[in-house]
Amino acid sequence: MKNYVAPSLLAANKDKLLEEIKLAEDSGAEFLHYDVMDGKFVENVSFSLEEFKQIAKKHKMINDVHVMISDPDVQAIEYAKAGAGIVTFHLEAFTCPSCMSKVINEIHKHNTKVGISIKPNTPVRYLVPFLKVIDLVLIMSVEPGKGGQAFIKSALKKIKFLRKYINKHQLDVLIEVDGGINDITGPLARKAGADILVAGSYLFGHDDFKKRLEKLR
Ligand code: DX5
Ligand code: ZN
């Protein structure tokens, strides 16, 4: 198990994005979490591909791109080309498993890792058939779409299940958790077996960013 942290740019001050990115990097974050929302898969709209291109190469953290979009089969690949280290799409955005396999292969062709995310109401067992061919699972601990929501505890059960399964089958898959992470829920997620904690509102906008990040280790 790893103890990585991925600050979520969604909560950063957009007027000084590069400064915020530097703060995350200087504080020791390994990943930079980048939320893409299209106003269809989720209600809100957030960062775009163009904005991603402007920041993707301005730091040395791994670009951890979480696409909450309805057509990842079309767009996910563009993020891989533009410098994403990981592209994670939602299982719920697909209707057929073979379409998902196709996207996974396409992303891998660009030497980019692939993650699959599930929403709070999606059973964790749906991820099992893909664990041998992906690099990361992203367990949503809030409904995707906005920051600052409360952690949904049923995510812990999913993380525990995955940790057990991944260890038992010796799979090389990271477990990431996203939504409502703070100094109370973060340690619970670690204890359950999460490798990467995504945190937005708990980190950005606070003077003690680095101290807070260290509490998530
Ligand atoms: C929500 C996003 C999260 C969000 C988390 O849909 O996927 O990455 O930024 O925000 P907090 O940490 O504030 O819950
Ligand atoms: Zn996210």
Side-chain angles (χ1 to χ4, degrees):
M1 212 184 103
K2 313 283 191 222
N3 66 344
Y4 299 138
V5 181
S8 173
L9 267 196
L10 196 62
N13 183 340
K14 309 286 180 295
D15 297 333
K16 47 170 191 166
L17 211 50
L18 289 178
E19 257 177 65
E20 298 279 67
I21 292 171
K22 191 173 180 322
L23 175 64
E25 188 163 34
D26 291 347
S27 302
E30 293 86 359
F31 295 84
L32 184 66
H33 189 81
Y34 189 87
D35 289 298
V36 183
M37 305 180 190
D38 65 353
K40 289 181 215 147
F41 184 76
V42 291
E43 260 178 42
N44 291 329
V45 176
S46 62
F47 297 107
S48 66
L49 178 63
E50 284 318 306
E51 288 167 294
F52 178 68
K53 286 180 181 165
Q54 281 167 29
I55 58 134
K57 296 189 177 137
K58 299 233 161 92
H59 63 88
K60 296 207 162 51
M61 294 170 284
I62 297 168
N63 285 304
D64 174 31
V65 179
H66 176 194
V67 290
M68 286 160 273
I69 55 178
S70 52
D71 58 349
D73 49 332
V74 183
Q75 285 199 58
I77 197 76
E78 296 303 320
Y79 286 90
K81 285 186 201 160
I86 303 171
V87 177
T88 298
F89 55 80
H90 270 265
L91 183 131
E92 300 87 355
F94 284 91
T95 45
C96 76
S98 63
C99 318
M100 253 165 80
S101 302
K102 208 172 148 213
V103 178
I104 293 168
N105 288 338
E106 284 295 314
I107 297 172
H108 274 154
K109 273 189 204 157
H110 289 83
N111 265 336
T112 300
K113 295 193 185 306
V114 180
I116 302 183
S117 182
I118 54 168
K119 294 192 206 180
N121 289 331
T122 302
V124 68
R125 67 173 187 279
Y126 289 7
L127 289 171
V128 170
F130 299 97
L131 292 177
K132 279 201 182 117
V133 291
I134 58 175
D135 310 283
L136 179 144
V137 284
L138 173 55
I139 299 301
M140 288 307 297
S141 39
V142 297
E143 279 302 328
K146 58 176 194 253
Q149 305 178 74
F151 185 86
I152 297 170
K153 278 209 167 150
S154 56
L156 295 173
K157 248 189 167 173
K158 294 181 178 176
I159 297 168
K160 277 184 200 155
F161 169 87
L162 288 165
R163 172 52 56 212
K164 218 171 150 190
Y165 190 96
I166 288 167
N167 286 359
K168 184 172 168 205
H169 297 273
Q170 297 184 318
L171 298 171
D172 193 10
V173 179
L174 291 167
I175 303 173
E176 181 173 40
V177 56
D178 182 8
I181 293 291
N182 55 37
D183 54 349
I184 295 161
T185 58
L188 295 176
R190 286 274 184 232
K191 202 167 160 237
D195 297 294
I196 309 173
L197 302 188
V198 177
S201 51
Y202 172 66
L203 293 177
F204 286 104
H206 300 280
D207 292 340
D208 55 347
F209 185 107
K210 189 170 184 199
K211 232 189 198 166
R212 286 172 174 248
L213 189 145
E214 277 156 9
K215 283 192 184 162
L216 300 181
R217 295 291 185 195

